Amino acid sequence: MKRVYGTRKSVMESEEEEDTAVKCRERRRRRMAMRRMAAGAASSSRGGESLKRGVKTSGEPGVVLQTSSSTAAAAIMSLISIMETPQPPVYGMMSVIGRQREMEDEVSVRTNLCRPEINGFRPVHFFGVFDGHGGGHVSALCKENMHSIMEEELMRVKVIGDESDGGELWRTAINRCFERMDEMAVRLCLCGGLGTSSNICRCSPQLSFMGSTAVVSLLTKENIFVANCGDSRAVLCRNGRPIPLTVDHKPDREDERRRIEGCGGRIMFADGARVEGILAMSRAIGDRLLKQWVTSEPEILITRREEGDECLILASDGLWDVLSSELACKIVHECFSQNGSVAPRIQGDEGAMGEALYSSRSDSAATLLIRLALGRRSTDNISVIVIDLRK
């Protein structure tokens, strides 16, 4: 019997050794294939005729023709970056209807959205909060499409020299994304399609006054990019203290008032300052009939990440109307300060759509922020994203 058991054990050990050997051969084969691809790209650059460096394509600022050598370098860098698989950031998000009759808020998260050349072929993560007004159609449109448009704009940018350091190429791509999103929102109709600029659907007059705010963050290993259009906000918590990354676009803000009045618009007061007495914000996506005065151009802030960064909070005004940035950061800081990286799941907790909440500290922080806003009688929809920036 001992001999039989010994035979079985030796068979199992031989199978494990064989399996390990197969895996090692497979990994070695993949490495050799990637080296051959990189070598092929480099050899093609030596044999090809190079183009003049720095020639820009017409009509698209920041987009340049690549040389053959830069194409080879890009291929090699791309292969190297693919071998690196960094963990995506931990985040928590929650969105509730609150005391409103309709849900007009939307949130969008896309970790590892793309690996553009502008970021050295390393991952870019996308986070967005969209607060609709006049209905939820434009905010839903932003949730469905803005990340895809952002990916297209980032991936089409080609870098020459150290142009990526100044941030202008990033700004150009982000601005173009908001511009395209606004064009799509202006053409929106309720009959199931999108019109053209010369043939706008008139199926619902309500769409003429429908729009959405947009606060979007692009997160990289080195930087935090925040683009804001409207009165949703982004706040960075650094060493336990809040750093505002956005300023609300209100019609009575001095620079916004000058811009609107310079375009022939009026600021009228009806339950607060409003553009033409209608819209309580000076920038938004959509709002077809107010487009002459209400722009979709975002304000963009680029922030270098530091060791003391704890979290980034993106939220609609349903939160900020009743919570200060200081209190929000204090709540998240206390959640993160608890022992362990994972919070215990609270029985019965469910998201706005009925999904069970994840058990990360970021989820706990987002849940507590929502609960506190509801306890303070917030009258609006409330949407929050908490992104863990700790290393």
Side-chain angles (χ1 to χ4, degrees):
M1 292 297 292
K2 290 183 180 178
R3 207 176 313 161
V4 173
Y5 286 123
T7 304
R8 290 180 178 176
K9 184 177 180 180
S10 62
V11 170
M12 292 174 64
E13 289 177 347
S14 63
E15 288 178 350
E16 290 177 357
E17 292 174 357
E18 183 179 355
D19 182 57
T20 303
V22 170
K23 290 181 179 178
C24 289
R25 284 197 297 271
E26 180 63 22
R27 286 194 294 268
R28 187 163 56 251
R29 185 191 63 79
R30 287 198 298 266
R31 288 196 298 268
M32 292 177 64
M34 295 179 72
R35 289 170 183 167
R36 282 197 298 270
M37 291 174 64
S43 63
S44 65
S45 67
R46 290 192 295 268
E49 182 180 0
S50 62
L51 298 172
K52 183 179 180 181
R53 294 181 64 88
V55 180
K56 293 189 175 182
T57 57
S58 59
E60 295 295 340
V63 181
V64 300
L65 293 173
Q66 288 182 291
T67 63
S68 298
S69 59
S70 64
T71 303
I76 295 171
M77 288 296 296
S78 180
L79 289 171
I80 294 173
S81 67
I82 290 172
M83 295 176 68
E84 301 175 356
T85 55
Q87 291 293 327
V90 177
Y91 66 91
M93 64 180 184
M94 192 174 186
S95 189
V96 298
I97 192 171
R99 292 178 172 84
Q100 289 290 319
R101 292 185 177 182
E102 296 182 13
M103 185 60 177
E104 297 177 332
D105 281 8
E106 297 286 355
V107 293
S108 176
V109 174
R110 294 293 188 278
T111 57
N112 295 314
L113 175 72
C114 58
R115 291 172 175 257
E117 182 180 344
I118 193 175
N119 194 43
F121 302 101
R122 289 169 297 180
V124 175
H125 311 289
F126 176 96
F127 302 88
V129 172
F130 311 104
D131 182 1
H133 50 263
H137 294 81
V138 175
S139 57
L141 191 71
C142 291
K143 176 184 179 180
E144 294 169 2
N145 297 280
M146 182 167 275
H147 65 278
S148 299
I149 299 174
M150 186 71 75
E151 179 181 2
E152 291 176 6
E153 293 300 326
L154 291 176
M155 293 301 291
R156 72 189 301 177
V157 177
K158 307 302 178 186
V159 180
I160 285 186
D162 59 351
E163 283 185 309
S164 61
D165 296 337
E168 288 306 313
L169 298 184
W170 287 92
R171 293 178 185 275
T172 299
I174 294 171
N175 274 312
R176 179 59 181 157
C177 172
F178 273 70
E179 181 182 347
R180 288 177 58 188
M181 192 69 250
D182 185 61
E183 292 171 355
M184 187 180 294
V186 168
R187 299 196 305 267
L188 178 67
C189 66
L190 296 179
C191 58
L194 291 170
T196 63
S197 57
S198 60
N199 183 26
I200 297 176
C201 177
R202 303 293 182 181
C203 62
S204 175
Q206 180 186 2
L207 284 172
S208 299
F209 300 99
M210 191 177 292
S212 176
T213 72
V215 58
V216 170
S217 176
L218 299 176
L219 188 64
T220 70
K221 185 178 180 180
E222 294 84 13
N223 296 302
I224 302 170
F225 300 85
V226 172
N228 182 51
C229 176
D231 57 5
S232 297
R233 295 182 199 169
V235 175
L236 172 66
C237 183
R238 176 175 288 170
N239 296 316
R241 297 181 178 180
I243 300 178
L245 301 183
T246 61
V247 180
D248 292 355
H249 292 124
K250 295 294 187 180
D252 55 351
R253 207 178 92 175
E254 189 59 34
D255 55 343
E256 291 295 284
R257 174 191 285 272
R258 289 197 300 268
R259 180 183 61 78
I260 293 170
E261 291 178 347
C263 296
R266 297 172 297 173
I267 308 299
M268 304 171 66
F269 289 83
D271 191 22
R274 295 177 180 270
V275 178
E276 296 296 315
I278 299 172
L279 188 62
M281 64 196 72
S282 56
R283 300 193 188 194
I285 292 175
D287 292 289
R288 183 186 304 160
L289 289 188
L290 299 174
K291 190 49 61 184
Q292 181 180 351
W293 312 289
V294 177
T295 179
S296 63
E297 181 181 355
E299 286 186 315
I300 302 171
L301 183 66
I302 304 175
T303 305
R304 190 77 175 178
R305 295 180 64 173
E306 295 184 5
E307 188 67 29
D309 291 349
E310 297 179 32
C311 73
L312 176 64
I313 306 173
L314 307 179
S316 60
D317 62 344
L319 179 81
W320 303 118
D321 284 346
V322 295
L323 260 69
S324 65
S325 300
E326 291 78 8
L327 180 56
C329 280
K330 182 179 179 181
I331 291 172
V332 178
H333 177 75
E334 290 179 354
C335 280
F336 285 1
S337 298
Q338 297 177 24
N339 293 331
S341 60
V342 178
R345 187 185 299 275
I346 302 173
Q347 282 292 341
D349 271 355
E350 294 185 342
M353 303 304 293
E355 315 94 340
L357 292 173
Y358 296 110
S359 55
S360 70
R361 294 294 178 195
S362 299
D363 278 304
S364 298
T367 303
L368 285 174
L369 290 174
I370 293 281
R371 286 179 169 179
L372 185 56
L374 291 173
R376 293 192 168 198
R377 311 290 298 177
S378 174
T379 59
D380 205 350
N381 305 144
I382 313 171
S383 296
V384 178
I385 303 176
V386 177
I387 307 159
D388 192 345
L389 301 178
R390 298 172 300 170
K391 296 181 180 180

